[in-house]
Amino acid sequence: MRWYVVASLLTVLTSSQGILTTLSQSNGGYEYDYATVPFLAEVFKLLVSCILLSREMKSSPTPQMTTDWKSVRLYLIPSIIYLIHNNVQFATLRYVDTSTYQIMGNLKIVTTGILFSGWRSYYWLLEQPRAR
């Protein structure tokens, strides 16, 4: 039952993102520096994560954290893409309406599937033994 609440909340928040961003426009622009919004959201998430980590460290003596550079570096490219996406969404909503933005957002799923399929096929072909 608990995952229904989380899934519903995620759906509502994701769907309302474009609508609320569009509603915050005034005369076709933003009266605030829209680059600060993703930054403040990330600072908020960092604070919440630190609070949760401190609670975890109090409850268990040795929390499991990855500090190995080989594991941590895997998050670098997705985090850069996430940073760019968060800043581009405000600029995009200046030029397209909310419904078009939502459709373009859903195309990310299709694009990701196509790119992953191509990437996987490429590496699968490289791993096949060569006929001699």
Side-chain angles (χ1 to χ4, degrees):
M1 175 74 170
R2 186 174 175 177
W3 72 272
Y4 285 121
V5 174
V6 173
S8 300
L9 185 63
L10 181 62
T11 302
V12 168
L13 291 175
T14 303
S15 300
S16 66
Q17 177 187 17
I19 296 168
L20 293 175
T21 304
T22 303
L23 289 174
S24 71
Q25 289 181 349
S26 177
N27 299 323
Y30 303 100
E31 293 185 6
Y32 53 88
D33 184 13
Y34 61 81
T36 59
V37 174
F39 174 74
L40 292 175
E42 295 305 316
V43 168
F44 176 73
K45 287 191 272 186
L46 178 65
L47 290 174
V48 170
S49 297
C50 288
I51 291 168
L52 294 175
L53 178 62
S54 69
R55 286 178 60 191
E56 180 70 24
M57 290 176 74
K58 289 177 185 176
S59 66
S60 65
T62 56
Q64 295 180 348
M65 294 190 308
T66 301
T67 56
D68 180 38
W69 173 246
K70 289 181 180 179
S71 298
V72 173
R73 70 184 170 110
L74 296 175
Y75 296 99
L76 185 63
I77 293 174
S79 65
I80 291 170
I81 293 170
Y82 182 72
L83 171 78
I84 293 169
H85 172 265
N86 280 340
N87 286 298
V88 167
Q89 75 184 11
F90 285 93
T92 303
L93 281 166
R94 279 183 151 176
Y95 302 107
V96 300
D97 58 312
T98 307
S99 57
T100 305
Y101 175 77
Q102 291 294 338
I103 291 169
M104 288 173 25
N106 290 335
L107 286 175
K108 289 187 294 189
I109 299 167
V110 175
T111 306
T112 302
I114 291 169
L115 289 174
F116 181 74
S117 176
W119 172 77
R120 188 170 176 169
S121 297
Y122 174 75
Y123 281 102
W124 181 77
L125 288 173
L126 289 178
E127 292 176 1
Q128 294 301 311
R130 298 183 188 211
R132 295 191 189 232

